[in-house]
Amino acid sequence: MIRLHHIPFSRSFRVLWLLEELGLKAELAHYSITDGSLRASEFKAISPVGRVPALEIDGITIYESAAIVEYLTETRPEHGLGRLAGDPERVQFLEWLGYAETQASILASLNMQHLFMGDPTPASPLVLKLEAARLTASLKALENKLSDQEWLLPSGFSAADTMMGFNLFSAPYYVHLERFPNILAYIERIKARPAYQEARKLDGNQEFYKKDFYEVPNG
Ligand SMILES: N[C@@H](CCC(=O)N[C@@H](CS)C(=O)NCC(=O)O)C(=O)O
């Protein structure tokens, strides 16, 4: 039995997509960011800070998306989606797992302030501006990297792309991607993958974004 603790359009999509790439089917346990289900003691026993993803597989439970990605690729090396110790791309692979999470933390901060803060404590325009600039900087570096390769690693698609790919579906709510043609082409390549398409069907509807774009407020 494989069970993925999941919220649609969240970091758990990274794992949902990677499982599809590996040909593994998981039962989904659904949560919501707003209904308190992440704070239930049963879930805290699985994920101590009450976050998704968490994955039950092979008789163990793992939380932290990068750790899950590493575990899945190391225990299923026949799919070639990780870069194991000794591989010349190992360091780049690990860097991208971390980079994706660094970028996701900026997105999470923007989400928190744009979507979940309001009366009586509206978000700070200065912080929103800084976070949008930090997101832009992280996208510029990605744009440069994709100028002469199709995927994050020179040798081709890997699980690092499943870590990063998720971010690129949240980023356009805060930064116009038209100025990043390599990233737009990368997103199209992602969308063309059958495993990605299957994961999207299983994902569920996102419940966060009510607008197509969130402008940085003046101030
Ligand atoms: N570093 C963790 C972050 C997990 C995380 O923050 N997940 C979000 C959804 S994208 C969450 O569960 N948030 C709930 C909360 O912050 O209360 C990972 O990569 O798995």
Side-chain angles (χ1 to χ4, degrees):
M1 184 279 295
I2 303 176
R3 181 182 294 126
L4 174 63
H5 298 265
H6 178 65
I7 293 176
F9 221 77
S10 80
R11 288 175 179 90
S12 51
F13 182 77
R14 293 167 166 168
V15 178
L16 186 59
W17 175 16
L18 179 55
L19 289 169
E20 285 296 325
E21 295 282 353
L22 295 169
L24 298 172
K25 288 287 170 201
E27 175 188 308
L28 295 185
H30 285 280
Y31 297 81
S32 157
I33 211 122
T34 50
D35 70 358
S37 51
L38 293 174
R39 305 286 164 255
S41 52
E42 304 81 52
F43 186 58
K44 287 277 186 70
I46 290 169
S47 172
V49 276
R51 295 193 182 200
V52 295
L55 185 70
E56 296 176 64
I57 189 167
D58 302 339
I60 59 170
T61 303
I62 324 170
Y63 55 90
E64 287 293 340
S65 55
I68 296 170
V69 164
E70 274 219 65
Y71 176 82
L72 287 174
T73 54
E74 285 174 17
T75 54
R76 276 98 179 147
E78 65 279 13
H79 295 273
L81 293 182
R83 298 296 182 271
L84 308 188
D87 189 297
E89 290 181 335
R90 171 74 172 167
V91 171
Q92 285 181 68
F93 178 73
L94 294 177
E95 278 177 343
W96 281 121
L97 298 192
Y99 193 99
E101 191 47 21
T102 296
Q103 192 181 61
S105 70
I106 303 170
L107 287 162
S109 167
L110 284 163
N111 285 347
M112 175 68 79
Q113 299 190 60
H114 275 288
L115 312 178
F116 299 115
M117 286 178 73
D119 261 356
T121 45
S124 148
L126 178 61
V127 174
L128 289 175
K129 212 175 274 182
L130 283 173
E131 291 293 43
R134 276 152 44 103
L135 178 60
T136 302
S138 74
L139 290 167
K140 272 186 193 154
L142 179 61
E143 174 74 5
N144 290 340
K145 178 55 72 176
L146 292 168
S147 63
D148 58 358
Q149 60 196 56
E150 295 205 329
W151 303 102
L152 296 180
L153 298 179
S155 65
F157 181 81
S158 74
D161 296 293
T162 68
M163 276 290 287
M164 177 66 75
F166 150 76
N167 299 357
L168 299 177
F169 293 89
S170 291
Y173 288 98
Y174 301 118
V175 171
H176 293 293
L177 292 188
E178 286 68 24
R179 46 198 282 220
F180 299 119
N182 299 332
I183 292 179
L184 288 177
Y186 177 60
I187 291 173
E188 290 312 308
R189 285 192 286 280
I190 287 173
K191 285 184 179 167
R193 293 188 73 82
Y196 170 85
Q197 291 165 9
E198 197 52 38
R200 266 288 168 243
K201 277 187 219 153
L202 299 170
D203 186 24
N205 294 327
Q206 67 91 8
E207 59 174 21
F208 314 124
Y209 303 105
K210 310 285 184 231
K211 299 198 265 183
D212 292 337
F213 191 79
Y214 291 82
E215 296 283 353
V216 173
N218 293 322

